Structures are given as structure tokens and as C-alpha cells.
Amino acid sequence: MDPVIVSHSHTLDYLNNPSPRTLGRSPLEWLNQLQRPTVIRVAGRDPSRTRAMATLLHGNEPSGLFAIHRWLMEQHTPEVNLLFLLGGVYPAKIPPTFSLRQVPGGRDLNRCFKEPFEREEGAIARAILDELQTANPECLLDVHNTSGTGPAFAVTITNDAAHQALASLFTDRLIMTDLRLGALMEYSEQEVPTVTIECGGAQDDHAHQLAYEGLVRYASQSDVLSLEKAEWNVAVLRNPIRVELASDATIEYRLTPSGHADLTFPPDIENRNFGIVSPDEPLGWVGQKGLDVLTAISHNRTENMEQVLQIRDGRIYPAQAIKTFMITTNPVIAKSDCLFYAVKATGDPIF
């Protein structure tokens, strides 16, 4: 059956049970065919239940789209109804494809899932939330790529067996945070188990494969919310500190500082992702403004810089042994989102 496409208030398009011949020969061809943020519905063996999966909320994070395209082309029948939500179609299509997190001058879509739902991104977020309310899924995944290279991990605002089980479909690392940013992951507050999956780097074939394999598990298993059936144990890291760079600060990635930037990281800083950094290992260099260009925000919005970073002879060191993740070498993301997250080396919160 050919897909039925219906425009929804000029905000979302719909594909119902799309056949492979309508999906293009590749994910790029399919993306080129998409005109708006798109909802895809696939009927399952048990039509009384629905699971949801959002992806491409950021236009430069393609693994989820690649996984969905591959899965649809293989014509699987899922165990329950599936609802796919492709949010960032507009930035993803801007040449070069998959290079922009958001439309130039636009908002980060994954910060718009809360009132007042302003501008175009707010309208898209609200339409996605309306779809979720209508579908009433038993669970929701939001599939991303990390802003740098590094291992896969999951993020949630709720740590219980159901959320750990969802995470275990993709990874054995789960970050639990009380910080609220307006992300889709916060849909968990609607008492729907919701987990963000960070598959790894956007250019990493392993990340694309991980997204596909996790989707296969998500679609084919009768119960994805039971921890007893998980394939591996999940290590939980709680309430990481979010280290941010001031919007007017400058950052460079160099082996030695040029003297012109407020912050300098080495080009291989991404190798620190999920590694332990001791207080005698330098992370980078600061300029004349020192640590004033940085903030270290905990889940309760308090400042914790003195427990995270320190300066000695112009170099930045951990104030204690820490485990870092979400480090990026993309200066745009480092400034618009965050530099990195950190917990104690033991995995415990820093506060």
C-alpha cells in the first residue's frame, strides 16, 4: 500500500506504512523527498500498543534517520505500532547535508519542548508533543549523535528499571539528570518512560550500526521495559555538572595556545570522553579572563566551578578526579550548547 501523506497545519507531514519504493534508494534521497518535519506510522502485530521514536531533532545528527530508513526498507513488521518523529528536516536539508544543528538564526529544537513554544521550532515541538499525546505510546526514545566522538550512552530524567531497560537496548551507560532544558527527554514527566540515546559521533559508521541494531530490538521485542530481559547491566551516572562557555568568549583547538583565545583545548580532547582525568592532568589553557568565561552548572542551577576546574600556570586542571563526556571539537556547539559534562571519577555527582 502506498503511503498516505497528509499535511498537518503546514507543520508536519505524515507517512503511513511507507513502502520501500517510496523511500528513495538511500537515506539522502529520502531526506531530499521530505518537505517538512515528518511523522511515520507503522502498524504492528499488536495494534493496541504503540512505541515512539524521535530523531533528527538536530540536523547534523543522522544516525537515527539512517536506522529508520534501513529498517523501513527491510519491511519489518514491528511487535507493536511504531510512531517515528523526524523533527529537524529543515536544517538537515541545508547544503552540505547534515552539517547544521539548527537553521541559521533559529532555535535549538531540543530546547523547545516547553512553553511558550515560540517561533517555528516551538510550533514543531508543540506539534510533536500533540502527536505523542494522541498516540499515547508506552515508551519514547529520542535518538541523537554525540557532538564529538566517543562511546554511546543514554540520558534520562528518571532512573528506574523501565528507563534502564530502554537504555540497555543501545548501551550500558545511563546518565540521570535533574537539569531541565526543554528537551524532548522531559516527556518522561508525563509518566511515559523516555530515554535519549546518544549513539556516538555523526561520522561514525559504528554509531549508525548501533542505532539500527537498537531500533531492531526496540521494534521486535514484546517487552522493552523489563530490566530482567536486558542484554547487559547498565551503569548509572547521576546529575553531571554542565560546563558552559560564555556566549562572547572565544575557543580554539590547538596543540599550543595562540594567545588570542579565551580557551584552548587540544585537537584530541574528544579522547577524554568517558575517561577519568586526574587533578594533575591538564585539559587545556585559559586566556587572560581565566575561568570567568566558564560556568559549571549543577542540576539545581547552582555554580560549582571550584569543585570541577582549577587553574595552575595558565592551564586548566580538574579540581578533583572527574569523568567527562559530551566533549566536542566543534566550536559552534561548544558555544551554543556546552563544553562538556562531568561527574566524579566514581560516577557520583559533584556537589
Side-chain angles (χ1 to χ4, degrees):
M1 181 177 67
D2 287 347
V4 177
I5 304 175
V6 182
S7 178
H8 172 78
S9 302
H10 303 291
T11 301
L12 301 177
D13 281 344
Y14 293 82
L15 299 176
N16 293 329
N17 297 307
S19 65
R21 63 187 180 85
T22 67
L23 298 172
R25 292 169 295 179
S26 70
L28 291 177
E29 276 197 15
W30 186 37
L31 176 66
N32 189 55
Q33 294 173 14
L34 300 177
Q35 299 301 309
R36 296 182 181 88
T38 300
V39 177
I40 304 154
R41 303 184 183 111
V42 180
R45 294 185 182 89
D46 181 353
S48 69
R49 300 158 58 197
T50 298
R51 294 172 192 158
M53 173 177 157
T55 196
L56 205 67
L57 294 190
H58 295 139
N60 60 346
E61 299 176 5
S63 285
L65 178 75
F66 290 173
I68 292 171
H69 182 265
R70 178 177 171 183
W71 186 87
L72 289 172
M73 291 293 284
E74 292 172 349
Q75 295 186 276
H76 298 279
T77 299
E79 188 67 22
V80 304
N81 292 341
L82 286 186
L83 179 74
F84 296 115
L85 305 157
L86 307 179
V89 170
Y90 296 137
K93 287 168 67 78
I94 296 174
T97 308
F98 298 126
S99 64
L100 295 179
R101 182 181 180 91
Q102 60 215 54
V103 172
R107 301 176 65 198
D108 182 333
L109 178 58
N110 205 30
R111 299 295 180 266
C112 295
F113 289 94
K114 63 178 180 180
E115 293 182 338
F117 300 112
E118 295 175 335
R119 299 169 59 184
E120 184 173 48
E121 292 82 7
I124 294 169
R126 183 161 194 167
I128 288 173
L129 290 175
D130 288 345
E131 289 300 318
L132 290 169
Q133 290 283 351
T134 300
N136 190 28
E138 63 185 20
C139 49
L140 167 63
L141 296 176
D142 180 19
V143 177
H144 289 256
N145 289 105
T146 54
S147 52
T149 60
F153 61 96
V155 190
T156 182
I157 64 170
T158 305
N159 177 33
D160 59 19
H163 288 79
Q164 290 184 30
L166 282 175
S168 74
L169 298 171
F170 294 80
T171 179
D172 59 357
R173 298 178 182 89
L174 177 63
I175 312 298
M176 195 285 291
T177 178
D178 291 328
L179 191 62
R180 300 293 183 268
L181 299 170
L184 180 58
M185 164 181 76
E186 292 155 27
Y187 196 73
S188 185
E189 293 176 332
Q190 304 295 319
E191 297 185 357
V192 176
T194 303
V195 173
T196 291
I197 305 296
E198 300 279 357
C199 294
Q203 309 300 321
D204 188 348
D205 288 340
H206 178 74
H208 308 330
Q209 182 67 18
L210 183 144
Y212 168 76
E213 292 176 356
L215 170 55
V216 169
R217 296 185 191 102
Y218 188 57
S220 62
Q221 294 181 12
S222 60
D223 182 2
V224 295
L225 299 176
S226 173
L227 195 56
E228 289 75 18
K229 297 182 180 180
E231 295 196 7
W232 48 66
N233 294 325
V234 176
V236 180
L237 307 178
R238 293 176 173 81
N239 281 325
I241 296 287
R242 178 180 166 93
V243 179
E244 297 181 356
L245 181 64
S247 59
D248 60 348
T250 54
I251 182 171
E252 293 181 338
Y253 296 89
R254 298 169 51 93
L255 290 173
T256 57
S258 68
H260 302 300
D262 295 313
L263 181 68
T264 304
F265 276 164
D268 63 352
I269 188 70
E270 290 178 325
N271 293 338
R272 297 290 193 181
N273 278 317
F274 282 99
I276 294 174
V277 190
S278 70
D280 59 357
E281 293 181 87
L283 286 167
W285 300 263
V286 290
Q288 294 182 352
K289 298 176 184 177
L291 289 179
D292 289 344
V293 298
L294 300 176
T295 55
I297 303 169
S298 69
H299 68 284
N300 56 12
R301 291 286 180 179
T302 58
E303 175 66 35
N304 286 269
M305 183 59 72
E306 70 281 356
Q307 298 184 59
V308 183
L309 300 175
Q310 58 183 326
I311 297 177
R312 297 200 305 270
D313 300 323
R315 290 193 170 197
I316 308 170
Y317 294 84
Q320 58 181 302
I322 60 175
K323 181 176 290 187
T324 57
F325 54 96
M326 285 292 280
I327 300 176
T328 178
T329 55
N330 184 324
V332 175
I333 294 176
K335 289 186 64 173
S336 65
D337 191 28
C338 75
L339 278 176
F340 61 87
Y341 288 84
V343 294
K344 290 182 179 180
T346 59
D348 296 318
I350 300 175
F351 54 81

